[in-house]
Amino acid sequence: EVQLVESGGGLVQPGGSLRLSCAASGFTFSTYAINWVRQAPGKGLEWVSAVSGNGGRTYYADSVKGRFTISRDNSKNTLYLQMNSLRAEDTAIYYCAVMMNYYFDHWGQGTLVTVSS
Amino acid sequence: IVMTQSPATLSVSPGERATLSCRASQSVSNYLAWYQQKPGQAPRLLFYGASTRATGIPVRFSGSGSGTEFTLTISSLQSEDFAVYYCQQSNNWPYTFGQGTKLEIK
């Protein structure tokens, strides 16, 4: 069974940093691209970032480019999102989601990030 | 690519049929997925490739369309189907979602 478990969320002040993690199990982690997708309170889904299976290619939404860095450690079956220069508008639940084809096949339960003073 | 869903809210009685629409601002071929999200839960993949059901999705759900126009149909609504539904295109980066359609009980 595919499992994705996010952690690292919390309350951070504007301008601060946070690192999210996503621990994966139940599939061959290094084979698939993994994504971060976020959802602001009461709002829709917004794709944030993706990394290829070997970590060689990364993609970012314009809203986070230059502030967020996605990475993965295939030896630990873990995905990361380093978030710097956080803004109030980054407040959201952050989900990791694996793409086994071209779609978000499996999702974690999410971790809440709140940016507030 | 901008994905536009309609209507924003759809009120339907249990047992009736629901039809949800999704339009892309340019062709996405058939690289279109539908997701269901219930309150407090993560989204769940319903369809990919516009019309292929994901594992475990009941046959009362059907997906259709290609290019820029797509439809999700639920033939006879069950209580567990009331949720928010999102479409998403995977034809071009950045992969984008529609704003969602909330399916509520009438």
Side-chain angles (χ1 to χ4, degrees), chain A residues 70-113:
Chain A
I70 192 171
S71 62
R72 63 192 297 162
D73 185 337
N74 286 346
S75 69
K76 296 181 178 179
N77 286 4
T78 303
L79 172 74
Y80 303 100
L81 186 68
Q82 177 67 43
M83 304 186 295
N84 298 330
S85 303
L86 282 162
R87 307 166 180 167
E89 54 264 36
D90 296 318
T91 294
I93 296 172
Y94 285 72
Y95 297 101
C96 61
V98 61
M99 299 186 87
M100 293 186 165
N101 290 293
Y102 294 96
Y103 308 97
F104 305 113
D105 302 72
H106 300 278
W107 300 64
Q109 283 306 299
T111 186
L112 176 62
V113 173

Side-chain angles (χ1 to χ4, degrees), chain B residues 10-34:
Chain B
L10 183 60
S11 299
V12 183
S13 300
E16 293 189 341
R17 181 187 190 94
T19 301
L20 289 66
S21 297
C22 175
R23 174 176 292 178
S25 60
Q26 64 187 75
S27 177
V28 297
S29 184
N30 69 334
Y31 289 96
L32 191 284
W34 289 96

Side-chain angles (χ1 to χ4, degrees), chain A:
Chain A
E1 179 192 4
V2 172
Q3 286 201 328
L4 299 165
V5 180
E6 301 93 337
S7 61
L11 175 63
V12 61
Q13 292 188 338
S17 298
L18 212 54
R19 188 175 88 152
L20 306 183
S21 299
C22 171
S25 61
F27 64 103
T28 305
F29 185 72
S30 60
T31 300
Y32 302 105
I34 313 282
N35 296 254
W36 289 100
V37 178
R38 69 184 180 184
Q39 187 170 36
K43 303 297 184 182
L45 300 169
E46 179 189 16
W47 171 80
V48 172
S49 184
V51 60
S52 61
N54 65 7
R57 288 173 292 155
T58 57
Y59 306 85
Y60 298 94
D62 285 346
S63 57
V64 306
K65 201 172 294 183
R67 300 187 299 123
F68 290 11
T69 303
I70 192 171
S71 62
R72 63 192 297 162
D73 185 337
N74 286 346
S75 69
K76 296 181 178 179
N77 286 4
T78 303
L79 172 74
Y80 303 100
L81 186 68
Q82 177 67 43
M83 304 186 295
N84 298 330
S85 303
L86 282 162
R87 307 166 180 167
E89 54 264 36
D90 296 318
T91 294
I93 296 172
Y94 285 72
Y95 297 101
C96 61
V98 61
M99 299 186 87
M100 293 186 165
N101 290 293
Y102 294 96
Y103 308 97
F104 305 113
D105 302 72
H106 300 278
W107 300 64
Q109 283 306 299
T111 186
L112 176 62
V113 173
T114 303
V115 184
S116 175
S117 55

Side-chain angles (χ1 to χ4, degrees), chain B residues 37-77:
Chain B
Q37 187 179 32
K38 297 180 180 180
Q41 296 185 15
R44 176 175 73 148
L45 179 65
L46 294 179
F47 285 89
Y48 59 93
S51 60
T52 303
R53 275 185 213 88
T55 303
I57 304 305
V59 296
R60 65 180 181 273
F61 289 85
S62 62
S64 64
S66 66
T68 62
E69 301 283 343
F70 300 89
T71 301
L72 173 68
T73 302
I74 311 170
S75 60
S76 177
L77 280 161

